[in-house]
């Protein structure tokens, strides 16, 4: 850009901010041969099909390469987020003019250029300023990294400055007219005479002890009661981040280990879809294909006893509007022989398959029973959950027991 920008001392400040726009491109060292090969192929080509990811970054990355090689020929855009055969064929048969996505390119370019210009200028300026005061090293600044680090430091400082404080609850046993005992917790109010913290919690234990003794044997009046049926639907299929978290919690695999395992499942065994996806949703096309994929999975020994009710409502996971550059990670039609997978590959594959299958299982149904009570002018609240049907949890969490709570 400018020879004067080579300096990392006070002299640079006189020419700052550095003028770095428009950006100048050059191939990354270990990608030079690939960039050169693309250039040779473009000289032979009569047209180009742009197959980058369908988000801003995907548009930017391919357009950058074409612009670097000064390509001005016909360019069409293929939009593929769902790698299923039907969806890919549909996309290939519906090519668009790449110029229709110029706005996406500009959006990605603005983000890229803004990050670059801001990061380099601020890093250089603060580093020079810090070094003039005896600091040794680089003060790295970035649009994302700096505020994120700020949040961490702020939390750390607050944690170090934290002083212990205590609050107290009062839970009482109430016997109904059937002789059943259930528990309710005091909901303190200012008028009750308690000292409350900023979250309306009681900070004086002695007053609670006195209240407890005074309420023994007192009559209780029901103020209100409600029964609410709540439905919990299966968790969405995996994206790579949630898969990494679950595999770490369950098996202790690191994020890199899980990523490597999914790479093997995808490339070597071809039994899962795109493994680096940040999306948890599936396409309508994949819903149509489920009528063929699901029966195949249910033939595996691991799922042979599972029964799927055809009346189960369509999962919210199948929604074209929520798809990003890729769809969620699910099994493909190439079912693996689990005995041919190593233990780690098998664990990760079955986790992916389980969440996919769960999309076709009924929700968990819980009856929430809540009420409030008056006892000598004090209000107590009670809330219980009775499981009506475990639904998908019978499959995903068979070890979880039903709550044993009073009516």
């Amino acid at each position: 850009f400018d020879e004067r920008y080579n300096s990392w001392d006070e002299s640079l400040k006189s020419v700052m901010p550095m003028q770095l726009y428009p950006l100048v491109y050059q191939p990354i060292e270990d990608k030079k041969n690939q960039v050169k090969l693309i250039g040779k192929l473009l000289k032979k080509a009569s047209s180009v099909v742009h197959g980058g990811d369908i988000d801003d970054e995907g548009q930017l990355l391919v357009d950058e390469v074409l612009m670097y090689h000064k390509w001005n020929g016909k360019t069409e855009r293929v939009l593929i987020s769902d790698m299923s055969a039907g969806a890919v064929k549909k996309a290939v048969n519906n090519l668009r003019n790449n110029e229709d996505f110029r706005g996406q390119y500009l959006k990605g370019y603005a983000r890229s250029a803004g990050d670059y210009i801001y990061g380099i200028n601020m890093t250089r300026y603060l580093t020079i300023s810090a070094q003039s005061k005896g600091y040794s090293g680089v003060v790295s600044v970035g649009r994302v990294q700096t505020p994120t680090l700020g949040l961490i430091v702020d939390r750390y400082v607050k944690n170090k400055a934290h002083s212990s404080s205590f609050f107290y609850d009062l839970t009482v046993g109430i016997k109904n007219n059937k002789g059943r005992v259930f528990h309710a917790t005091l909901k303190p109010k200012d008028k009750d005479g308690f000292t409350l913290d900023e979250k309306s919690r009681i900070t004086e234990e002695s007053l609670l002890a006195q209240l407890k003794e005074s309420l023994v044997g007192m009559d209780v009046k029901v103020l209100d009661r409600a029964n609410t049926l709540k439905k919990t639907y299966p968790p969405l299929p995996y994206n790579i981040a949630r898969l990494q978290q679950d595999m770490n919690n369950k098996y202790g695999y690191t994020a890199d280990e899980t990523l490597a395992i999914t790479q093997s499942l995808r490339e070597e065994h071809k039994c899962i879809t795109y493994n680096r996806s940040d999306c948890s949703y599936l396409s309508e096309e994949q819903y149509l294909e489920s009528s063929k994929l699901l029966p195949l999975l249910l033939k595996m020994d691991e799922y042979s006893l599972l029964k799927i009710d055809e009346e189960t409502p369509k999962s919210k996971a199948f929604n074209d509007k929520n798809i990003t550059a890729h769809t969620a990670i699910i099994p493909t039609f190439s079912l693996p022989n689990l005995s041919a997978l190593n233990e780690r590959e098998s664990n990760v594959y079955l986790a992916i398959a389980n969440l996919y299958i769960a999309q076709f299982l009924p929700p968990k149904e819980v009856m929430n029973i809540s009420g409030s009570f008056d006892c000598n002018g004090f209000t107590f609240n009670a809330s219980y959950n009775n499981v009506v049907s475990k639904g998908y949890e019978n499959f995903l969490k068979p070890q979880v027991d039903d709550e044993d709570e009073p009516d």
Side-chain angles (χ1 to χ4, degrees):
F1 289 99
D2 191 316
E3 287 294 326
R4 296 174 298 172
Y5 298 166
N6 285 336
S7 170
W8 279 79
D9 57 40
E10 288 287 339
S11 65
L12 178 64
K13 287 186 177 181
S14 64
V15 292
M16 292 189 79
M18 294 180 283
Q19 302 302 306
L20 308 176
Y21 183 85
L23 302 184
V24 176
Y25 291 94
Q26 63 183 38
I28 297 171
E29 190 62 34
D30 64 351
K31 300 293 191 296
K32 281 186 175 180
N33 289 338
Q34 186 178 2
V35 173
K36 186 176 180 180
L37 176 60
I38 292 173
K40 288 182 178 179
L41 293 172
L42 286 173
K43 289 178 180 178
K44 300 178 182 179
S46 57
S47 65
V48 166
V49 176
H50 181 322
D53 287 350
I54 65 172
D55 58 6
D56 301 338
E57 291 301 304
Q59 186 68 38
L60 173 69
L61 293 175
V62 177
D63 279 352
E64 282 179 329
V65 175
L66 296 177
M67 293 168 69
Y68 177 78
H69 288 296
K70 297 180 173 57
W71 168 259
N72 292 313
K74 178 182 178 182
T75 307
E76 293 178 293
R77 185 70 162 98
V78 62
L79 302 171
I80 300 174
S81 59
D82 174 1
M83 299 300 291
S84 60
V88 171
K89 289 178 182 177
K90 185 176 179 180
V92 170
N93 289 325
N94 289 276
L95 299 180
R96 302 265 303 274
N97 188 329
N98 192 53
E99 278 300 309
D100 294 347
F101 302 90
R102 178 70 177 172
Q104 254 194 322
Y105 160 77
L106 291 172
K107 184 179 176 183
Y109 181 79
R111 195 277 314 153
S112 179
D115 283 359
Y116 184 77
I117 294 167
Y118 172 80
I120 286 183
N121 270 290
M122 292 300 292
T123 294
R124 192 76 69 93
Y125 184 85
L126 292 180
T127 296
I128 293 169
S129 299
Q131 288 175 350
S132 69
K133 298 183 183 299
Y135 180 82
S136 177
V138 175
V139 180
S140 181
V141 178
R143 176 181 61 88
V144 176
Q145 73 174 40
T146 302
T148 303
L149 180 60
L151 290 170
I152 294 170
V153 171
D154 182 61
R155 183 66 175 174
Y156 175 80
V157 170
K158 287 180 178 178
N159 180 270
K160 286 295 183 182
H162 176 72
S163 58
S164 296
S165 60
F166 297 89
F167 64 91
Y168 304 91
D169 286 329
L170 176 60
T171 300
V172 299
I174 300 176
K175 183 183 292 186
N176 64 16
N177 55 13
K178 295 180 181 179
R180 297 285 298 274
V181 176
F182 59 95
H183 295 90
T185 302
L186 176 67
K187 184 175 178 58
K189 300 176 181 176
D190 291 334
K191 69 176 182 63
D192 295 336
F194 298 116
T195 300
L196 306 179
D197 64 13
E198 71 279 359
K199 296 183 180 179
S200 297
R201 299 177 301 194
I202 300 171
T203 58
E204 294 176 281
E205 185 178 19
S206 59
L207 290 179
L208 273 187
Q210 296 172 23
L211 176 61
K212 176 183 175 182
E213 293 299 324
S214 70
L215 294 180
V216 174
M218 298 285 289
D219 288 338
V220 173
K221 178 183 177 181
V222 178
L223 297 177
D224 60 63
R225 185 180 189 277
N227 289 2
T228 306
L229 182 64
K230 297 182 177 180
K231 295 183 179 182
T232 304
Y233 292 89
L236 294 170
Y238 280 120
N239 60 25
I240 187 59
R242 283 197 299 118
L243 180 61
Q244 288 169 321
Q245 291 167 1
D246 280 4
M247 293 302 96
N248 180 261
N249 291 335
K250 190 170 184 179
Y251 301 110
Y253 304 163
T254 67
D256 286 343
E257 287 172 338
T258 297
L259 183 61
I261 293 167
T262 60
Q263 200 75 16
S264 173
L265 291 173
R266 175 175 169 248
E267 293 185 348
E268 182 180 346
H269 302 285
K270 305 186 186 307
C271 60
I272 63 169
T273 56
Y274 182 69
N275 61 308
R276 294 173 181 262
S277 176
D278 63 355
C279 180
S280 295
Y281 289 88
L282 300 168
S283 69
E284 298 291 338
E285 188 74 29
Q286 286 169 311
Y287 179 71
L288 297 176
E289 291 185 346
S290 67
S291 62
K292 297 177 182 178
L293 177 56
L294 189 59
L296 280 178
L297 289 169
L298 296 181
K299 289 180 181 179
M300 296 176 64
D301 292 343
E302 287 72 17
Y303 307 119
S304 59
L305 300 179
L306 184 63
K307 304 298 181 184
I308 302 290
D309 185 356
E310 294 182 1
E311 299 298 320
T312 301
K314 182 179 179 181
S315 166
K316 64 180 180 180
F318 297 98
N319 189 332
D320 286 343
K321 294 180 180 178
N322 291 333
I323 293 174
T324 54
H326 301 279
T327 59
I329 307 170
I330 63 170
T332 66
F333 284 95
S334 300
L335 266 62
N337 179 355
L338 291 184
S339 62
L341 303 180
N342 62 43
E343 181 182 1
R344 290 188 166 201
E345 290 172 335
S346 179
N347 288 339
V348 173
Y349 178 80
L350 289 176
I352 293 169
N354 286 349
L355 271 200
Y356 175 75
I357 292 172
Q359 305 310 307
F360 305 93
L361 296 174
K364 177 181 180 179
E365 295 184 348
V366 175
M367 182 64 72
N368 176 258
I369 305 164
S370 61
S372 63
F373 310 87
D374 177 85
C375 184
N376 199 29
F378 295 93
T379 302
F380 291 82
N381 290 343
S383 180
Y384 293 98
N385 290 325
N386 283 334
V387 176
V388 177
S389 170
K390 281 189 174 181
Y392 71 89
E393 280 196 352
N394 275 322
F395 171 61
L396 289 184
K397 302 177 182 178
Q399 74 281 7
V400 177
D401 294 327
D402 288 349
E403 292 89 336
D404 184 16
E405 295 161 337
D407 297 326

